[in-house]
Amino acid sequence: MKKPSHLLFLSALICLPQLSYAEKVIAPANDIEYPKHLTNWRVISTSIRNDNNTQRVILGNALAVKAARAETKKIAWPNGAILAKLVWKNETLPTWQAATVPGDFVHAEIMVRDTKKYATTGGWGFARWTGLELTPHGKDSSAAQACFDCHQAAKATDYVFTQPAKLP
Amino acid sequence: MKKPSHLLFLSALICLPQLSYAEKVIAPANDIEYPKHLTNWRVISTSIRNDNNTQRVILGNALAVKAARAETKKIAWPNGAILAKLVWKNETLPTWQAATVPGDFVHAEIMVRDTKKYATTGGWGFARWTGLELTPHGKDSSAAQACFDCHQAAKATDYVFTQPAKLP
């Protein structure tokens, strides 16, 4: 009987690239990669924007959550920290009309802390992906300037609008 | 020279109980234990209550998140699933007046799925802890009736108000 090892090896070579298609490919925005599995990150805060009828949750990677939950007066965001905002259009909850809940998904936004790499934009890399299909919003790093311009309002808090919510 | 092992053992005995005091002791509410580290759970949704000026994030334990993120029309909450709501009073963000952010922490609430144990309250155990100090709201399981009465409005969705937010 012929040994099947060569055939098995060949099958593996053919099948492996197909397996990789199961994972959604998300293009980078502003030259920044979309962090995989960010919906599994821990919560830092929530917020509502009354000027565009949206609500959001602010999540953080391990470094960001550690900094946000440290009991310090001013947060020291370390290099490598990433803040993520998931934004939804407001909708009325059918079972409780006084409640406003997340409707359509608007976009995911991140801020990546790297004081050297992003020195010209306050030490933060900014990126946005729109819709559930996560279409990159900006083509390259020049698009981050618009984000940074708006974030000037939060200069006193290191260009971060988010105030970590008080947690029990 | 005398062996120091006995002294070391004695020191350990004296120090160990003190170490345990470092962990906050939280009393059960409605005979339900407060789930440790629930602020590390993953996000299911957010919501705003316009009738009492609050915003919240809804988190879930692993079983709840798995059920909430399954692509099914009606969520099948399995026994052992726990939903948690962290609620804050609304506050205006100083750096962006159009944004409403979490102010004072109001309470943490949970719903524990156990169709047998909590058969008389729709298969859910309800509990609430108020303030950052997590003071139990209800003394025993009889207090859960008030929760259940209010949740009648969400009978069509298994007494759960939360609609999992659409996630990318």
PDB file of all heavy atoms in Angstrom, chain A residues 39-40 42 45-48 50 55 69 88 98-100 102 132 153 165-167, chain B residues 39-40 42 45-48 50 55 69 88 95 98-100 102 132 153 165-167:
ATOM      1  N   THR A  39     -14.399  44.069  19.714  1.00  0.00           N
ATOM      2  CA  THR A  39     -15.688  44.002  20.416  1.00  0.00           C
ATOM      3  C   THR A  39     -15.600  43.149  21.693  1.00  0.00           C
ATOM      4  O   THR A  39     -16.547  43.105  22.468  1.00  0.00           O
ATOM      5  CB  THR A  39     -16.794  43.437  19.507  1.00  0.00           C
ATOM      6  OG1 THR A  39     -16.373  42.179  18.986  1.00  0.00           O
ATOM      7  CG2 THR A  39     -17.095  44.382  18.356  1.00  0.00           C
ATOM      8  N   ASN A  40     -14.463  42.497  21.869  1.00  0.00           N
ATOM      9  CA  ASN A  40     -14.256  41.728  23.110  1.00  0.00           C
ATOM     10  C   ASN A  40     -13.503  42.536  24.163  1.00  0.00           C
ATOM     11  O   ASN A  40     -13.257  42.042  25.256  1.00  0.00           O
ATOM     12  CB  ASN A  40     -13.471  40.438  22.816  1.00  0.00           C
ATOM     13  CG  ASN A  40     -14.309  39.448  22.043  1.00  0.00           C
ATOM     14  OD1 ASN A  40     -15.533  39.549  22.004  1.00  0.00           O
ATOM     15  ND2 ASN A  40     -13.653  38.494  21.409  1.00  0.00           N
ATOM     16  N   ARG A  42     -12.678  45.474  27.019  1.00  0.00           N
ATOM     17  CA  ARG A  42     -13.446  45.899  28.179  1.00  0.00           C
ATOM     18  C   ARG A  42     -13.937  47.348  28.046  1.00  0.00           C
ATOM     19  O   ARG A  42     -13.394  48.139  27.288  1.00  0.00           O
ATOM     20  CB  ARG A  42     -12.588  45.741  29.438  1.00  0.00           C
ATOM     21  CG  ARG A  42     -12.543  44.301  29.899  1.00  0.00           C
ATOM     22  CD  ARG A  42     -11.574  44.112  31.028  1.00  0.00           C
ATOM     23  NE  ARG A  42     -10.196  44.178  30.557  1.00  0.00           N
ATOM     24  CZ  ARG A  42      -9.149  44.312  31.352  1.00  0.00           C
ATOM     25  NH1 ARG A  42      -9.326  44.442  32.651  1.00  0.00           N
ATOM     26  NH2 ARG A  42      -7.926  44.339  30.860  1.00  0.00           N
ATOM     27  N   SER A  45     -16.235  53.571  28.982  1.00  0.00           N
ATOM     28  CA  SER A  45     -17.306  54.535  29.208  1.00  0.00           C
ATOM     29  C   SER A  45     -18.409  54.381  28.160  1.00  0.00           C
ATOM     30  O   SER A  45     -18.339  53.497  27.295  1.00  0.00           O
ATOM     31  CB  SER A  45     -16.753  55.959  29.176  1.00  0.00           C
ATOM     32  OG  SER A  45     -17.653  56.873  29.773  1.00  0.00           O
ATOM     33  N   THR A  46     -19.411  55.239  28.276  1.00  0.00           N
ATOM     34  CA  THR A  46     -20.467  55.351  27.267  1.00  0.00           C
ATOM     35  C   THR A  46     -20.610  56.841  26.971  1.00  0.00           C
ATOM     36  O   THR A  46     -20.089  57.675  27.716  1.00  0.00           O
ATOM     37  CB  THR A  46     -21.813  54.822  27.794  1.00  0.00           C
ATOM     38  OG1 THR A  46     -22.101  55.463  29.043  1.00  0.00           O
ATOM     39  CG2 THR A  46     -21.771  53.316  28.008  1.00  0.00           C
ATOM     40  N   SER A  47     -21.298  57.201  25.894  1.00  0.00           N
ATOM     41  CA  SER A  47     -21.622  58.617  25.688  1.00  0.00           C
ATOM     42  C   SER A  47     -22.720  58.774  24.656  1.00  0.00           C
ATOM     43  O   SER A  47     -22.991  57.870  23.861  1.00  0.00           O
ATOM     44  CB  SER A  47     -20.387  59.435  25.302  1.00  0.00           C
ATOM     45  OG  SER A  47     -20.028  59.228  23.959  1.00  0.00           O
ATOM     46  N   ILE A  48     -23.356  59.931  24.734  1.00  0.00           N
ATOM     47  CA  ILE A  48     -24.459  60.273  23.835  1.00  0.00           C
ATOM     48  C   ILE A  48     -24.075  61.574  23.146  1.00  0.00           C
ATOM     49  O   ILE A  48     -23.578  62.490  23.811  1.00  0.00           O
ATOM     50  CB  ILE A  48     -25.756  60.520  24.652  1.00  0.00           C
ATOM     51  CG1 ILE A  48     -26.065  59.309  25.549  1.00  0.00           C
ATOM     52  CG2 ILE A  48     -26.922  60.846  23.729  1.00  0.00           C
ATOM     53  CD1 ILE A  48     -26.894  59.681  26.777  1.00  0.00           C
ATOM     54  N   ASN A  50     -25.810  64.550  21.338  1.00  0.00           N
ATOM     55  CA  ASN A  50     -27.122  65.119  21.045  1.00  0.00           C
ATOM     56  C   ASN A  50     -27.143  65.877  19.721  1.00  0.00           C
ATOM     57  O   ASN A  50     -28.202  66.179  19.204  1.00  0.00           O
ATOM     58  CB  ASN A  50     -27.535  66.044  22.193  1.00  0.00           C
ATOM     59  CG  ASN A  50     -27.513  65.299  23.528  1.00  0.00           C
ATOM     60  OD1 ASN A  50     -28.199  64.302  23.702  1.00  0.00           O
ATOM     61  ND2 ASN A  50     -26.681  65.768  24.447  1.00  0.00           N
ATOM     62  N   GLN A  55     -25.483  57.192  20.102  1.00  0.00           N
ATOM     63  CA  GLN A  55     -24.945  56.763  21.392  1.00  0.00           C
ATOM     64  C   GLN A  55     -23.795  55.811  21.104  1.00  0.00           C
ATOM     65  O   GLN A  55     -23.696  55.245  20.017  1.00  0.00           O
ATOM     66  CB  GLN A  55     -26.001  56.108  22.260  1.00  0.00           C
ATOM     67  CG  GLN A  55     -26.613  54.836  21.764  1.00  0.00           C
ATOM     68  CD  GLN A  55     -27.805  54.435  22.641  1.00  0.00           C
ATOM     69  OE1 GLN A  55     -27.639  53.997  23.760  1.00  0.00           O
ATOM     70  NE2 GLN A  55     -29.002  54.632  22.129  1.00  0.00           N
ATOM     71  N   ARG A  69      -8.459  52.706  34.424  1.00  0.00           N
ATOM     72  CA  ARG A  69      -8.973  52.264  35.717  1.00  0.00           C
ATOM     73  C   ARG A  69      -8.009  52.501  36.878  1.00  0.00           C
ATOM     74  O   ARG A  69      -8.328  52.179  38.019  1.00  0.00           O
ATOM     75  CB  ARG A  69      -9.362  50.785  35.634  1.00  0.00           C
ATOM     76  CG  ARG A  69     -10.523  50.557  34.667  1.00  0.00           C
ATOM     77  CD  ARG A  69     -11.023  49.119  34.691  1.00  0.00           C
ATOM     78  NE  ARG A  69     -12.092  48.924  33.715  1.00  0.00           N
ATOM     79  CZ  ARG A  69     -12.743  47.772  33.527  1.00  0.00           C
ATOM     80  NH1 ARG A  69     -12.425  46.729  34.259  1.00  0.00           N
ATOM     81  NH2 ARG A  69     -13.707  47.679  32.609  1.00  0.00           N
ATOM     82  N   TRP A  88     -23.728  54.039  17.440  1.00  0.00           N
ATOM     83  CA  TRP A  88     -25.007  53.653  16.853  1.00  0.00           C
ATOM     84  C   TRP A  88     -25.955  54.854  16.786  1.00  0.00           C
ATOM     85  O   TRP A  88     -25.908  55.737  17.622  1.00  0.00           O
ATOM     86  CB  TRP A  88     -25.696  52.596  17.718  1.00  0.00           C
ATOM     87  CG  TRP A  88     -24.961  51.308  17.846  1.00  0.00           C
ATOM     88  CD1 TRP A  88     -25.024  50.234  17.008  1.00  0.00           C
ATOM     89  CD2 TRP A  88     -24.044  50.922  18.889  1.00  0.00           C
ATOM     90  NE1 TRP A  88     -24.209  49.222  17.458  1.00  0.00           N
ATOM     91  CE2 TRP A  88     -23.602  49.608  18.608  1.00  0.00           C
ATOM     92  CE3 TRP A  88     -23.568  51.559  20.036  1.00  0.00           C
ATOM     93  CZ2 TRP A  88     -22.703  48.931  19.432  1.00  0.00           C
ATOM     94  CZ3 TRP A  88     -22.672  50.892  20.848  1.00  0.00           C
ATOM     95  CH2 TRP A  88     -22.253  49.590  20.548  1.00  0.00           C
ATOM     96  N   ALA A  98     -39.620  55.232  26.816  1.00  0.00           N
ATOM     97  CA  ALA A  98     -38.728  56.241  27.404  1.00  0.00           C
ATOM     98  C   ALA A  98     -37.248  55.862  27.262  1.00  0.00           C
ATOM     99  O   ALA A  98     -36.370  56.611  27.668  1.00  0.00           O
ATOM    100  CB  ALA A  98     -39.065  56.447  28.874  1.00  0.00           C
ATOM    101  N   ALA A  99     -37.009  54.693  26.668  1.00  0.00           N
ATOM    102  CA  ALA A  99     -35.618  54.256  26.509  1.00  0.00           C
ATOM    103  C   ALA A  99     -35.137  54.455  25.075  1.00  0.00           C
ATOM    104  O   ALA A  99     -35.855  54.164  24.117  1.00  0.00           O
ATOM    105  CB  ALA A  99     -35.486  52.792  26.902  1.00  0.00           C
ATOM    106  N   THR A 100     -33.937  54.981  24.949  1.00  0.00           N
ATOM    107  CA  THR A 100     -33.304  55.171  23.646  1.00  0.00           C
ATOM    108  C   THR A 100     -32.160  54.180  23.547  1.00  0.00           C
ATOM    109  O   THR A 100     -31.269  54.174  24.399  1.00  0.00           O
ATOM    110  CB  THR A 100     -32.807  56.626  23.506  1.00  0.00           C
ATOM    111  OG1 THR A 100     -33.889  57.505  23.794  1.00  0.00           O
ATOM    112  CG2 THR A 100     -32.308  56.901  22.100  1.00  0.00           C
ATOM    113  N   PRO A 102     -29.487  51.475  20.937  1.00  0.00           N
ATOM    114  CA  PRO A 102     -28.707  51.506  19.694  1.00  0.00           C
ATOM    115  C   PRO A 102     -29.498  50.939  18.499  1.00  0.00           C
ATOM    116  O   PRO A 102     -30.000  49.828  18.570  1.00  0.00           O
ATOM    117  CB  PRO A 102     -27.508  50.587  20.000  1.00  0.00           C
ATOM    118  CG  PRO A 102     -27.483  50.433  21.481  1.00  0.00           C
ATOM    119  CD  PRO A 102     -28.889  50.548  21.922  1.00  0.00           C
ATOM    120  N   LEU A 132     -21.381  48.311   9.279  1.00  0.00           N
ATOM    121  CA  LEU A 132     -21.056  46.969   9.764  1.00  0.00           C
ATOM    122  C   LEU A 132     -20.007  46.291   8.896  1.00  0.00           C
ATOM    123  O   LEU A 132     -19.301  45.388   9.335  1.00  0.00           O
ATOM    124  CB  LEU A 132     -22.330  46.111   9.819  1.00  0.00           C
ATOM    125  CG  LEU A 132     -23.311  46.450  10.950  1.00  0.00           C
ATOM    126  CD1 LEU A 132     -24.618  45.687  10.780  1.00  0.00           C
ATOM    127  CD2 LEU A 132     -22.692  46.159  12.316  1.00  0.00           C
ATOM    128  N   ALA A 153     -10.351  70.399  21.042  1.00  0.00           N
ATOM    129  CA  ALA A 153     -11.238  70.796  22.154  1.00  0.00           C
ATOM    130  C   ALA A 153     -10.921  70.025  23.435  1.00  0.00           C
ATOM    131  O   ALA A 153     -11.233  70.478  24.533  1.00  0.00           O
ATOM    132  CB  ALA A 153     -12.694  70.587  21.761  1.00  0.00           C
ATOM    133  N   ALA A 165     -15.797  56.181  32.847  1.00  0.00           N
ATOM    134  CA  ALA A 165     -16.948  56.144  33.750  1.00  0.00           C
ATOM    135  C   ALA A 165     -16.541  55.597  35.110  1.00  0.00           C
ATOM    136  O   ALA A 165     -15.639  54.749  35.189  1.00  0.00           O
ATOM    137  CB  ALA A 165     -18.051  55.271  33.148  1.00  0.00           C
ATOM    138  N   LYS A 166     -17.181  56.091  36.153  1.00  0.00           N
ATOM    139  CA  LYS A 166     -16.905  55.574  37.516  1.00  0.00           C
ATOM    140  C   LYS A 166     -17.423  54.147  37.594  1.00  0.00           C
ATOM    141  O   LYS A 166     -18.591  53.878  37.329  1.00  0.00           O
ATOM    142  CB  LYS A 166     -17.599  56.448  38.554  1.00  0.00           C
ATOM    143  CG  LYS A 166     -17.051  57.868  38.651  1.00  0.00           C
ATOM    144  CD  LYS A 166     -17.837  58.668  39.690  1.00  0.00           C
ATOM    145  CE  LYS A 166     -17.433  60.134  39.689  1.00  0.00           C
ATOM    146  NZ  LYS A 166     -18.171  60.939  38.670  1.00  0.00           N
ATOM    147  N   LEU A 167     -16.539  53.230  37.956  1.00  0.00           N
ATOM    148  CA  LEU A 167     -16.921  51.819  38.027  1.00  0.00           C
ATOM    149  C   LEU A 167     -16.911  51.323  39.461  1.00  0.00           C
ATOM    150  O   LEU A 167     -16.047  51.713  40.239  1.00  0.00           O
ATOM    151  CB  LEU A 167     -15.969  50.969  37.180  1.00  0.00           C
ATOM    152  CG  LEU A 167     -16.033  51.156  35.663  1.00  0.00           C
ATOM    153  CD1 LEU A 167     -14.960  50.308  34.993  1.00  0.00           C
ATOM    154  CD2 LEU A 167     -17.395  50.795  35.105  1.00  0.00           C
TER     155      LEU A 167
ATOM    156  N   THR B  39     -17.173  44.014  35.754  1.00  0.00           N
ATOM    157  CA  THR B  39     -16.768  45.139  34.902  1.00  0.00           C
ATOM    158  C   THR B  39     -15.781  44.700  33.813  1.00  0.00           C
ATOM    159  O   THR B  39     -15.453  45.480  32.926  1.00  0.00           O
ATOM    160  CB  THR B  39     -16.132  46.277  35.738  1.00  0.00           C
ATOM    161  OG1 THR B  39     -15.074  45.731  36.516  1.00  0.00           O
ATOM    162  CG2 THR B  39     -17.150  46.927  36.649  1.00  0.00           C
ATOM    163  N   ASN B  40     -15.336  43.456  33.902  1.00  0.00           N
ATOM    164  CA  ASN B  40     -14.455  42.924  32.847  1.00  0.00           C
ATOM    165  C   ASN B  40     -15.239  42.148  31.785  1.00  0.00           C
ATOM    166  O   ASN B  40     -14.646  41.640  30.834  1.00  0.00           O
ATOM    167  CB  ASN B  40     -13.389  41.999  33.456  1.00  0.00           C
ATOM    168  CG  ASN B  40     -12.364  42.778  34.262  1.00  0.00           C
ATOM    169  OD1 ASN B  40     -12.242  43.991  34.102  1.00  0.00           O
ATOM    170  ND2 ASN B  40     -11.643  42.086  35.125  1.00  0.00           N
ATOM    171  N   ARG B  42     -17.855  41.364  28.623  1.00  0.00           N
ATOM    172  CA  ARG B  42     -17.964  41.996  27.305  1.00  0.00           C
ATOM    173  C   ARG B  42     -19.287  42.739  27.121  1.00  0.00           C
ATOM    174  O   ARG B  42     -20.271  42.466  27.801  1.00  0.00           O
ATOM    175  CB  ARG B  42     -17.794  40.927  26.220  1.00  0.00           C
ATOM    176  CG  ARG B  42     -16.341  40.553  25.998  1.00  0.00           C
ATOM    177  CD  ARG B  42     -16.209  39.388  25.073  1.00  0.00           C
ATOM    178  NE  ARG B  42     -16.621  38.156  25.718  1.00  0.00           N
ATOM    179  CZ  ARG B  42     -16.841  37.010  25.077  1.00  0.00           C
ATOM    180  NH1 ARG B  42     -16.715  36.964  23.760  1.00  0.00           N
ATOM    181  NH2 ARG B  42     -17.194  35.927  25.730  1.00  0.00           N
ATOM    182  N   SER B  45     -24.805  45.844  24.884  1.00  0.00           N
ATOM    183  CA  SER B  45     -25.496  47.014  24.363  1.00  0.00           C
ATOM    184  C   SER B  45     -25.293  48.227  25.263  1.00  0.00           C
ATOM    185  O   SER B  45     -24.564  48.149  26.262  1.00  0.00           O
ATOM    186  CB  SER B  45     -26.999  46.715  24.216  1.00  0.00           C
ATOM    187  OG  SER B  45     -27.622  47.662  23.387  1.00  0.00           O
ATOM    188  N   THR B  46     -25.937  49.317  24.880  1.00  0.00           N
ATOM    189  CA  THR B  46     -25.981  50.527  25.696  1.00  0.00           C
ATOM    190  C   THR B  46     -27.444  50.959  25.731  1.00  0.00           C
ATOM    191  O   THR B  46     -28.252  50.464  24.941  1.00  0.00           O
ATOM    192  CB  THR B  46     -25.137  51.666  25.083  1.00  0.00           C
ATOM    193  OG1 THR B  46     -25.531  51.841  23.717  1.00  0.00           O
ATOM    194  CG2 THR B  46     -23.657  51.366  25.120  1.00  0.00           C
ATOM    195  N   SER B  47     -27.806  51.870  26.624  1.00  0.00           N
ATOM    196  CA  SER B  47     -29.148  52.454  26.545  1.00  0.00           C
ATOM    197  C   SER B  47     -29.232  53.715  27.377  1.00  0.00           C
ATOM    198  O   SER B  47     -28.405  53.958  28.270  1.00  0.00           O
ATOM    199  CB  SER B  47     -30.236  51.457  26.951  1.00  0.00           C
ATOM    200  OG  SER B  47     -30.283  51.304  28.344  1.00  0.00           O
ATOM    201  N   ILE B  48     -30.237  54.515  27.035  1.00  0.00           N
ATOM    202  CA  ILE B  48     -30.475  55.797  27.702  1.00  0.00           C
ATOM    203  C   ILE B  48     -31.904  55.756  28.227  1.00  0.00           C
ATOM    204  O   ILE B  48     -32.808  55.315  27.502  1.00  0.00           O
ATOM    205  CB  ILE B  48     -30.350  56.965  26.690  1.00  0.00           C
ATOM    206  CG1 ILE B  48     -28.990  56.927  25.983  1.00  0.00           C
ATOM    207  CG2 ILE B  48     -30.598  58.310  27.359  1.00  0.00           C
ATOM    208  CD1 ILE B  48     -29.014  57.578  24.591  1.00  0.00           C
ATOM    209  N   ASN B  50     -34.721  58.238  29.260  1.00  0.00           N
ATOM    210  CA  ASN B  50     -35.064  59.655  29.272  1.00  0.00           C
ATOM    211  C   ASN B  50     -35.975  60.022  30.443  1.00  0.00           C
ATOM    212  O   ASN B  50     -36.127  61.195  30.770  1.00  0.00           O
ATOM    213  CB  ASN B  50     -35.733  60.025  27.942  1.00  0.00           C
ATOM    214  CG  ASN B  50     -34.842  59.646  26.761  1.00  0.00           C
ATOM    215  OD1 ASN B  50     -33.715  60.123  26.639  1.00  0.00           O
ATOM    216  ND2 ASN B  50     -35.331  58.760  25.906  1.00  0.00           N
ATOM    217  N   GLN B  55     -27.787  56.893  31.719  1.00  0.00           N
ATOM    218  CA  GLN B  55     -27.300  56.088  30.607  1.00  0.00           C
ATOM    219  C   GLN B  55     -26.640  54.860  31.190  1.00  0.00           C
ATOM    220  O   GLN B  55     -26.257  54.839  32.350  1.00  0.00           O
ATOM    221  CB  GLN B  55     -26.351  56.843  29.700  1.00  0.00           C
ATOM    222  CG  GLN B  55     -25.074  57.336  30.301  1.00  0.00           C
ATOM    223  CD  GLN B  55     -24.345  58.277  29.322  1.00  0.00           C
ATOM    224  OE1 GLN B  55     -23.817  57.859  28.310  1.00  0.00           O
ATOM    225  NE2 GLN B  55     -24.374  59.549  29.632  1.00  0.00           N
ATOM    226  N   ARG B  69     -24.684  37.232  20.769  1.00  0.00           N
ATOM    227  CA  ARG B  69     -23.967  37.453  19.508  1.00  0.00           C
ATOM    228  C   ARG B  69     -24.223  36.361  18.477  1.00  0.00           C
ATOM    229  O   ARG B  69     -23.687  36.427  17.366  1.00  0.00           O
ATOM    230  CB  ARG B  69     -22.468  37.600  19.783  1.00  0.00           C
ATOM    231  CG  ARG B  69     -22.169  38.841  20.622  1.00  0.00           C
ATOM    232  CD  ARG B  69     -20.677  39.101  20.766  1.00  0.00           C
ATOM    233  NE  ARG B  69     -20.424  40.264  21.620  1.00  0.00           N
ATOM    234  CZ  ARG B  69     -19.221  40.743  21.892  1.00  0.00           C
ATOM    235  NH1 ARG B  69     -18.152  40.153  21.392  1.00  0.00           N
ATOM    236  NH2 ARG B  69     -19.078  41.809  22.653  1.00  0.00           N
ATOM    237  N   TRP B  88     -25.438  55.097  35.054  1.00  0.00           N
ATOM    238  CA  TRP B  88     -24.900  56.383  35.513  1.00  0.00           C
ATOM    239  C   TRP B  88     -25.894  57.513  35.260  1.00  0.00           C
ATOM    240  O   TRP B  88     -26.647  57.482  34.279  1.00  0.00           O
ATOM    241  CB  TRP B  88     -23.610  56.734  34.755  1.00  0.00           C
ATOM    242  CG  TRP B  88     -22.488  55.798  34.946  1.00  0.00           C
ATOM    243  CD1 TRP B  88     -21.548  55.830  35.941  1.00  0.00           C
ATOM    244  CD2 TRP B  88     -22.140  54.662  34.121  1.00  0.00           C
ATOM    245  NE1 TRP B  88     -20.654  54.797  35.785  1.00  0.00           N
ATOM    246  CE2 TRP B  88     -20.989  54.060  34.686  1.00  0.00           C
ATOM    247  CE3 TRP B  88     -22.691  54.096  32.973  1.00  0.00           C
ATOM    248  CZ2 TRP B  88     -20.381  52.941  34.126  1.00  0.00           C
ATOM    249  CZ3 TRP B  88     -22.098  52.965  32.422  1.00  0.00           C
ATOM    250  CH2 TRP B  88     -20.953  52.403  32.994  1.00  0.00           C
ATOM    251  N   THR B  95     -15.756  69.340  27.689  1.00  0.00           N
ATOM    252  CA  THR B  95     -15.021  69.667  26.459  1.00  0.00           C
ATOM    253  C   THR B  95     -15.885  69.568  25.189  1.00  0.00           C
ATOM    254  O   THR B  95     -15.397  69.879  24.103  1.00  0.00           O
ATOM    255  CB  THR B  95     -13.816  68.712  26.309  1.00  0.00           C
ATOM    256  OG1 THR B  95     -14.266  67.367  26.488  1.00  0.00           O
ATOM    257  CG2 THR B  95     -12.740  69.034  27.317  1.00  0.00           C
ATOM    258  N   ALA B  98     -22.306  69.212  23.538  1.00  0.00           N
ATOM    259  CA  ALA B  98     -23.374  68.417  22.914  1.00  0.00           C
ATOM    260  C   ALA B  98     -23.316  66.951  23.324  1.00  0.00           C
ATOM    261  O   ALA B  98     -24.162  66.148  22.925  1.00  0.00           O
ATOM    262  CB  ALA B  98     -23.308  68.539  21.400  1.00  0.00           C
ATOM    263  N   ALA B  99     -22.306  66.612  24.112  1.00  0.00           N
ATOM    264  CA  ALA B  99     -22.166  65.215  24.530  1.00  0.00           C
ATOM    265  C   ALA B  99     -22.652  65.016  25.961  1.00  0.00           C
ATOM    266  O   ALA B  99     -22.356  65.817  26.845  1.00  0.00           O
ATOM    267  CB  ALA B  99     -20.716  64.770  24.406  1.00  0.00           C
ATOM    268  N   THR B 100     -23.408  63.958  26.179  1.00  0.00           N
ATOM    269  CA  THR B 100     -23.879  63.594  27.505  1.00  0.00           C
ATOM    270  C   THR B 100     -23.155  62.327  27.928  1.00  0.00           C
ATOM    271  O   THR B 100     -23.203  61.327  27.217  1.00  0.00           O
ATOM    272  CB  THR B 100     -25.410  63.371  27.486  1.00  0.00           C
ATOM    273  OG1 THR B 100     -26.029  64.511  26.893  1.00  0.00           O
ATOM    274  CG2 THR B 100     -25.954  63.179  28.880  1.00  0.00           C
ATOM    275  N   PRO B 102     -21.367  59.686  31.274  1.00  0.00           N
ATOM    276  CA  PRO B 102     -21.707  59.146  32.589  1.00  0.00           C
ATOM    277  C   PRO B 102     -21.189  60.020  33.730  1.00  0.00           C
ATOM    278  O   PRO B 102     -20.008  60.328  33.779  1.00  0.00           O
ATOM    279  CB  PRO B 102     -20.994  57.781  32.614  1.00  0.00           C
ATOM    280  CG  PRO B 102     -20.663  57.480  31.193  1.00  0.00           C
ATOM    281  CD  PRO B 102     -20.438  58.799  30.539  1.00  0.00           C
ATOM    282  N   LEU B 132     -21.434  53.211  44.297  1.00  0.00           N
ATOM    283  CA  LEU B 132     -20.116  52.606  44.089  1.00  0.00           C
ATOM    284  C   LEU B 132     -19.763  51.607  45.189  1.00  0.00           C
ATOM    285  O   LEU B 132     -18.969  50.692  44.982  1.00  0.00           O
ATOM    286  CB  LEU B 132     -19.036  53.693  44.005  1.00  0.00           C
ATOM    287  CG  LEU B 132     -19.024  54.517  42.706  1.00  0.00           C
ATOM    288  CD1 LEU B 132     -18.067  55.692  42.834  1.00  0.00           C
ATOM    289  CD2 LEU B 132     -18.655  53.657  41.499  1.00  0.00           C
ATOM    290  N   ALA B 153     -43.380  44.205  30.678  1.00  0.00           N
ATOM    291  CA  ALA B 153     -43.448  44.944  29.403  1.00  0.00           C
ATOM    292  C   ALA B 153     -42.587  44.293  28.331  1.00  0.00           C
ATOM    293  O   ALA B 153     -42.818  44.473  27.132  1.00  0.00           O
ATOM    294  CB  ALA B 153     -43.030  46.390  29.632  1.00  0.00           C
ATOM    295  N   ALA B 165     -26.887  45.217  20.727  1.00  0.00           N
ATOM    296  CA  ALA B 165     -26.513  46.198  19.693  1.00  0.00           C
ATOM    297  C   ALA B 165     -25.864  45.472  18.518  1.00  0.00           C
ATOM    298  O   ALA B 165     -25.193  44.452  18.701  1.00  0.00           O
ATOM    299  CB  ALA B 165     -25.546  47.217  20.285  1.00  0.00           C
ATOM    300  N   LYS B 166     -26.101  46.001  17.325  1.00  0.00           N
ATOM    301  CA  LYS B 166     -25.462  45.425  16.129  1.00  0.00           C
ATOM    302  C   LYS B 166     -23.960  45.685  16.216  1.00  0.00           C
ATOM    303  O   LYS B 166     -23.533  46.831  16.351  1.00  0.00           O
ATOM    304  CB  LYS B 166     -26.036  46.070  14.872  1.00  0.00           C
ATOM    305  CG  LYS B 166     -27.508  45.760  14.620  1.00  0.00           C
ATOM    306  CD  LYS B 166     -28.001  46.466  13.367  1.00  0.00           C
ATOM    307  CE  LYS B 166     -29.504  46.308  13.192  1.00  0.00           C
ATOM    308  NZ  LYS B 166     -30.284  47.357  13.937  1.00  0.00           N
ATOM    309  N   LEU B 167     -23.199  44.610  16.127  1.00  0.00           N
ATOM    310  CA  LEU B 167     -21.734  44.739  16.237  1.00  0.00           C
ATOM    311  C   LEU B 167     -21.051  44.403  14.916  1.00  0.00           C
ATOM    312  O   LEU B 167     -21.486  43.493  14.215  1.00  0.00           O
ATOM    313  CB  LEU B 167     -21.201  43.809  17.334  1.00  0.00           C
ATOM    314  CG  LEU B 167     -21.568  44.147  18.777  1.00  0.00           C
ATOM    315  CD1 LEU B 167     -21.050  43.085  19.719  1.00  0.00           C
ATOM    316  CD2 LEU B 167     -21.022  45.515  19.182  1.00  0.00           C
TER     317      LEU B 167
END
